Amino acid sequence: MLFASIAAVQNLPEATGYMYPNEFELHWGLLIVVYPYLTGLVAGAFILASLERVFNVKALQPVYRLSLLTALSFMLAAPLPLLAHLGHPERALEMFLTPHTQSAMAMFGFVYAWYLAVVLLLEIWFDYRKAIVMWSRESKGVRKFIYKVLSLGATDTTDAAVNFDDKIGRVITIIGIPSAFLLHGYVGFIFGSVKANPWWSSVLMPIVFLFSAIVSGIALVLLVYMVTTMLRWKQISMTCLNKLGELLLYALIVDFALELLDFIHRLYESEESINILREMISGRLFISLIVTQILLGTAIPMLSLAWARFGRLPDEMRKILFLIAAFLVQVGIFSTRWNVVIGGQLFSKSLRGLTVYKLELMGLEGLFMAMALLALPFVILFVLTKLLPPWAPSEASVSTET
């Protein structure tokens, strides 16, 4: 086996040290990076919506419905990277037909079904029910038929019925908060439970995943709110934008502190794996971890957000800084997922060798497929906003304000 390993390393010049034959090529590629990235956006967007509904943060009212629709759009696309990676999507139903309660990955199907059917769809339906009934009365043709179907025959729009909808919606939101935590926390749980991999094995992994999900969800809603408002030629609510920036800054600080604590803990333990991890960070992951995740995706956004939120700047300058910070946060969180998934497979179990990941362009595991899956939620969101407009009726247009 040793000779086979040496021969294989010679055939893969960028691999270094002692590698086991089955570790030259990574089993999880770009699609497995995309999967936790999408689920994190779902959880973060829903938690943001719950701040307005449950904790009465009125400044976030302009993005409440937009957050819900964003969470639903990304939720519908979240399992697709896994299905494409497996190559046999028809087998996905087997997790429901033959449930395996001892497997965290197998239980994902139930977590997903609970969150989609019981939390997101029900909350959106109760929140929109009155509006759907009114739209079904005012619309014509196909749109009228769609709204009638969506109303499910519940056409009562009296104050008592609307109050009932509001109470039920609030209860569902309260149930949805721990569900959102569970949805993304379990992804970190899967990685953190792999004791044989020192890059993944950490009790902080689920918490780090959870807070990075909150960070990415807030940044996404901020981006979507700013872009869609500008495209519709409406005035951006600076009260809402400032609150989003403030929440994003606080979440980013907590997330960075947790990741720093996890890193310090690994250094303090200094197990036999520390040398290979240090070599990996300073070599294979230097660009994606040090430059992209920490510098571009964390340090610069934190400074931008702090300056925009607490500095004495004109509104236009604040908007630019918020927009740049939110975009860089997305880049940083995607790099975080990359560093976890790909980084955890780059070193050998011998702890004496490193391999490389070669990104393909075409095919089910390729770059174009990943880009299509990342773009799909925005297409779904566009359709949903046309069918269920989330915009506040009191929005002022730019032309009338200037």
Side-chain angles (χ1 to χ4, degrees), residues 145-219:
F145 173 75
I146 293 174
Y147 286 134
K148 277 190 171 296
V149 172
L150 289 178
S151 69
L152 302 179
T155 57
D156 188 356
T157 56
T158 60
D159 291 341
V162 173
N163 289 335
F164 177 79
D165 292 343
D166 184 63
K167 290 178 181 177
I168 293 296
R170 189 179 296 272
V171 170
I172 295 173
T173 305
I174 294 172
I175 296 173
I177 294 173
S179 301
F181 278 51
L182 182 64
L183 176 69
H184 201 63
Y186 104 94
V187 181
F189 175 83
I190 289 175
F191 287 105
S193 302
V194 183
K195 298 177 183 178
N197 191 316
W199 187 245
W200 291 340
S201 180
S202 170
V203 293
L204 287 177
M205 189 65 82
I207 305 174
V208 170
F209 261 69
L210 184 59
F211 272 90
S212 62
I214 294 173
V215 168
S216 64
I218 296 174

Side-chain angles (χ1 to χ4, degrees), residues 214-224 248 325-327 329-330:
I214 294 173
V215 168
S216 64
I218 296 174
L220 176 68
V221 173
L222 192 154
L223 272 175
V224 172
L248 180 58
F327 176 76
V329 164
Q330 292 302 325

Side-chain angles (χ1 to χ4, degrees), residues 256-401:
F256 182 65
L258 286 171
E259 293 189 25
L260 191 61
L261 180 63
D262 184 46
F263 180 71
I264 293 173
H265 183 249
R266 292 175 191 274
L267 286 179
Y268 182 75
E269 282 187 333
S270 293
E271 294 181 342
E272 62 274 11
S273 60
I274 195 68
N275 290 328
I276 192 68
L277 296 183
R278 184 185 292 115
E279 184 179 346
M280 186 175 69
I281 292 173
S282 61
R284 297 283 194 270
L285 296 184
F286 182 79
I287 298 296
S288 61
L289 179 62
I290 305 299
V291 177
T292 309
Q293 180 183 334
I294 297 179
L295 182 61
L296 291 178
T298 304
I300 293 178
M302 278 200 291
L303 293 174
S304 301
L305 290 168
W307 190 24
R309 180 62 187 90
F310 302 108
R312 294 182 177 179
L313 300 173
D315 287 348
E316 293 304 316
M317 188 64 186
R318 288 176 190 270
K319 293 176 186 175
I320 294 173
L321 288 175
F322 282 137
L323 195 66
I324 292 174
F327 176 76
L328 289 178
V329 164
Q330 292 302 325
V331 174
I333 296 298
F334 190 84
S335 300
T336 304
R337 308 296 184 237
W338 173 280
N339 293 325
V340 171
V341 176
I342 302 299
Q345 304 173 83
L346 288 181
F347 58 91
S348 171
K349 287 186 174 59
S350 68
L351 302 180
R352 299 174 65 187
L354 290 170
T355 187
V356 293
Y357 171 61
K358 293 185 177 180
L359 179 62
E360 299 176 355
L361 293 180
M362 307 299 290
L364 287 177
E365 295 281 345
L367 177 62
F368 292 124
M369 172 60 80
M371 292 175 64
L373 291 173
L374 288 172
L376 180 60
F378 293 100
V379 177
I380 298 174
L381 180 61
F382 175 77
V383 175
L384 286 177
T385 55
K386 289 296 181 183
L387 193 61
L388 304 171
W391 325 116
S394 58
E395 282 184 321
S397 63
V398 175
S399 57
T400 59
E401 293 290 326

Side-chain angles (χ1 to χ4, degrees), residues 125 128-129 131-155 383-384 386-389:
W125 188 80
Y128 274 94
R129 194 190 64 80
I132 289 173
V133 173
M134 302 305 295
W135 291 331
S136 70
R137 295 171 181 171
E138 300 167 357
S139 303
K140 297 180 180 177
V142 177
R143 186 176 283 266
K144 183 182 184 70
F145 173 75
I146 293 174
Y147 286 134
K148 277 190 171 296
V149 172
L150 289 178
S151 69
L152 302 179
T155 57
V383 175
L384 286 177
K386 289 296 181 183
L387 193 61
L388 304 171

